[in-house]
């Protein structure tokens, strides 16, 4: 069992680890806080090496375990003999692109701030993602509600017609995570469906994707990223969007009301 916890003190995660231990599982953890309970309980651990988590929208503590999991997958594939040396080299070469790609995403912060100004008075927001970026939709919605106090919901894009489509109107922006990846065509369909129902659609696209940018009401773009590493770059403009909306609303982005850095009780 591999547990992932920035603080290493999250009660529900620790409870799951205790149950796994009772059933004889080998425990490993990905943690940021050295000496935390999750780390002490584990047979082995991977350190995020992020430094102290200050902001709730802590991009470093979200993206670091994504990279750790990517590297772990490469290592396990290598050890199990199911990853060809050429494929391994290719995956590692892709990983080396990440610092530069993240830097490019951060350089685009002014575009995110401009979009934030148009959303500052929004009451509700829907985030859609597919495949590897479905969790990105969850994380982006979570950050918007946590630090800007705007009701936001992350949803698997393929299930949009099973309920959320009834909510779409000009008062509820739909943020569609649609980079060039194996799910791109289906995500483009989601953009069209939301627009056809009068929705305001903000598309997160790959550089140069004029098709999606023209179909959406507004767009943000990220540099072309190897698809298995896309979640590292897609989350950056979305967390920045939550940050700037909260700042424009005059809220404390580091210490939102009612929140704790780690949930230590069930």
């Amino acid at each position: 069992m591999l547990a992932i916890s920035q603080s290493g003190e999250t009660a529900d995660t620790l409870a799951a680890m205790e149950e796994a231990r009772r059933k004889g599982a080998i425990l490993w953890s990905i943690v940021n806080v050295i000496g935390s309970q999750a780390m002490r309980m584990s047979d082995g651990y991977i350190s995020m090496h992020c430094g102290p988590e200050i902001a709730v929208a802590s991009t470093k503590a979200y993206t670091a375990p994504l990279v750790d999991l990517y590297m772990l997958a490469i290592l396990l594939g290598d050890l199990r003999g199911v990853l060809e040396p050429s494929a391994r080299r290719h995956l590692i070469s892709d990983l080396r692109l990440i610092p530069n790609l993240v830097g490019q995403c951060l350089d685009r912060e002014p575009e995110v701030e401009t979009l934030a100004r148009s959303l500052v008075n929004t009451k509700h927001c829907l985030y859609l993602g597919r495949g590897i970026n479905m969790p990105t939709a969850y994380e982006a919605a979570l950050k918007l509600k946590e630090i800007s106090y705007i009701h936001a919901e992350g949803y698997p894009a393929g299930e949009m017609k099973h309920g959320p489509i009834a909510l779409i109107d000009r008062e509820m922006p739909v943020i569609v995570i649609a980079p060039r990846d194996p799910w791109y065509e289906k995500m483009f369909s989601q953009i069209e469906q939301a627009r056809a129902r009068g929705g305001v659609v903000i598309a997160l696209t790959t550089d140069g994707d004029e098709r999606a940018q023209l179909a959406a009401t507004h767009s943000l773009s990220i540099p072309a990223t190897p698809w298995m590493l896309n979640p590292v770059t897609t989350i950056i403009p979305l967390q920045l969007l939550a940050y700037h909306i909260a700042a424009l609303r005059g809220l404390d982005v580091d210490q939102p009301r009612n929140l704790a850095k780690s949930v230590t009780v069930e």
Side-chain angles (χ1 to χ4, degrees):
M1 175 181 174
L2 178 62
I4 305 170
S5 173
Q6 188 283 140
S7 68
E9 303 291 345
T10 305
D12 289 335
T13 305
L14 295 174
M17 292 176 73
E18 289 167 359
E19 179 67 14
R21 174 70 77 197
R22 280 194 294 272
K23 294 186 175 181
I26 295 171
L27 294 182
W28 273 71
S29 59
I30 297 178
V31 296
N32 190 36
V33 179
I34 301 301
S36 60
Q37 190 171 348
M39 175 184 159
R40 295 196 308 272
M41 288 175 62
S42 300
D43 298 300
Y45 72 95
I46 299 168
S47 173
M48 295 184 196
H49 292 295
C50 286
E53 183 186 66
I54 305 301
V56 168
S58 177
T59 305
K60 63 183 183 179
Y62 181 80
T63 56
L66 296 181
V67 173
D68 288 337
L69 289 167
Y70 182 88
M71 292 192 293
L72 180 62
I74 294 172
L75 177 61
L76 290 175
D78 201 27
L79 292 172
R80 290 165 64 88
V82 297
L83 193 61
E84 294 292 332
S86 59
R88 182 177 183 275
R89 286 193 296 271
H90 181 74
L91 291 168
I92 293 171
S93 295
D94 285 348
L95 184 58
R96 290 196 177 105
L97 301 173
I98 285 296
N100 178 262
L101 294 172
V102 168
Q104 290 183 55
C105 290
L106 293 171
D107 288 341
R108 302 173 190 198
E109 187 170 2
E111 300 168 28
V112 179
E113 188 171 4
T114 298
L115 178 61
R117 293 184 185 281
S118 69
L119 298 176
V120 69
N121 295 315
T122 295
K123 297 287 193 300
H124 309 278
C125 198
L126 178 65
Y127 289 78
L128 299 176
R130 271 184 187 267
I132 202 169
N133 271 306
M134 188 175 72
T136 306
Y138 296 155
E139 166 67 9
L142 178 65
K143 287 299 171 281
L144 187 67
K145 71 178 74 167
E146 281 182 328
I147 64 176
S148 73
Y149 314 151
I150 292 171
H151 170 249
E153 187 172 1
Y155 224 81
E159 297 180 21
M160 181 179 76
K161 286 190 174 181
H162 296 275
I165 198 166
L167 301 173
I168 294 174
D169 61 21
R170 294 202 61 80
E171 303 302 316
M172 185 175 184
V174 182
I175 298 180
V176 180
I177 304 167
R180 289 281 187 182
D181 64 16
W183 300 274
Y184 171 77
E185 288 298 331
K186 292 182 178 180
M187 289 306 301
F188 184 81
S189 172
Q190 245 78 54
I191 295 172
E192 292 182 315
Q193 289 179 42
R195 288 287 284 149
R197 288 156 179 83
V200 174
V201 177
I202 297 135
L204 180 60
T205 67
T206 302
D207 283 350
D209 185 3
E210 294 183 4
R211 179 190 179 204
Q213 291 163 7
L214 289 171
T217 316
H218 307 284
S219 66
L220 295 170
S221 66
I222 58 169
T225 306
W227 75 265
M228 278 190 280
L229 288 163
N230 249 333
V232 178
T233 50
T234 52
I235 194 56
I236 293 172
L238 298 176
Q239 286 191 339
L240 281 172
L241 183 63
Y243 167 84
H244 281 295
I245 291 173
L248 289 167
R249 289 163 71 100
L251 303 172
D252 186 339
V253 296
D254 289 333
Q255 294 183 307
R257 66 189 182 199
N258 307 331
L259 290 187
K261 290 297 180 188
S262 59
V263 183
T264 55
V265 293
E266 293 188 63

